[in-house]
Amino acid sequence: MNKKVALRGVGIVVEQSRKVGLLSRILFCCKVIGLFVMQRSKLQFQEVEESASHERALNEGAVAKFKKFRGVHSSRFLSHRAQMNAYNEAMTRESRKMPCFTGEDSMGNLVVRMETENIGEGYEPNPANPSDPRYISEMYGFEMRFDFETQEPWALYPIEKA
């Protein structure tokens, strides 16, 4: 009962049983390829999860390092003019024949710390009780931080004294 059947578009005459065998092989190959793709995606998903958990562990370690430091200063300039003067003082040091930066912070970022008249007010962390910061009504300095790679300023705030 082998019938000869012409495959459309191919121009080849193939027996029907061979046609069924060919289709079953193609389906089998598709299933194998599908299983391979699923296994591959599972492996990639596991790799992504492992790298995410590794990054999470690194971030937790970094958070632990930051917890060792005291709290963050919360201060503000008394006026926009005082803030602009501090910005200009920090940015024009090189043109005034002064070193561009006065030092580095703990993270390796370049810093300019300068003394000025009463420029701001704010809170400073209290080492004895971190939940009760000290209020400082008069701050006599400012700090500007620069990115160590691009040397672009990214923070400017008043400090108690330089």
Side-chain angles (χ1 to χ4, degrees), residues 71-91:
V72 178
H73 295 268
S74 174
S75 59
R76 67 183 185 104
F77 287 95
L78 293 177
S79 68
H80 294 289
R81 180 172 292 188
Q83 184 176 8
M84 191 64 189
N85 288 341
Y87 179 82
N88 286 335
E89 286 284 323
M91 295 300 289

Side-chain angles (χ1 to χ4, degrees), residues 63-75:
V63 168
K65 286 181 184 176
F66 284 118
K67 288 182 181 177
K68 290 179 186 175
F69 297 115
R70 296 186 339 178
V72 178
H73 295 268
S74 174
S75 59

Side-chain angles (χ1 to χ4, degrees), residues 64-154:
K65 286 181 184 176
F66 284 118
K67 288 182 181 177
K68 290 179 186 175
F69 297 115
R70 296 186 339 178
V72 178
H73 295 268
S74 174
S75 59
R76 67 183 185 104
F77 287 95
L78 293 177
S79 68
H80 294 289
R81 180 172 292 188
Q83 184 176 8
M84 191 64 189
N85 288 341
Y87 179 82
N88 286 335
E89 286 284 323
M91 295 300 289
T92 60
R93 288 177 59 85
E94 189 174 15
S95 65
R96 292 182 288 141
K97 309 284 190 238
M98 299 171 75
C100 293
F101 310 106
T102 60
E104 290 184 0
D105 65 358
S106 61
M107 303 299 286
N109 293 311
L110 300 168
V111 175
V112 171
R113 288 185 190 96
M114 295 182 72
E115 290 186 19
T116 61
E117 69 277 355
N118 183 17
I119 196 169
E121 65 181 357
Y123 291 91
E124 183 180 75
N126 183 356
N129 186 3
S131 63
D132 185 29
R134 282 188 319 129
Y135 176 71
I136 303 167
S137 60
E138 296 179 354
M139 293 187 164
Y140 294 99
F142 67 88
E143 180 174 299
M144 182 179 238
R145 294 184 182 207
F146 295 82
D147 183 43
F148 68 96
E149 291 177 352
T150 62
Q151 295 186 357
E152 293 291 319
W154 61 270

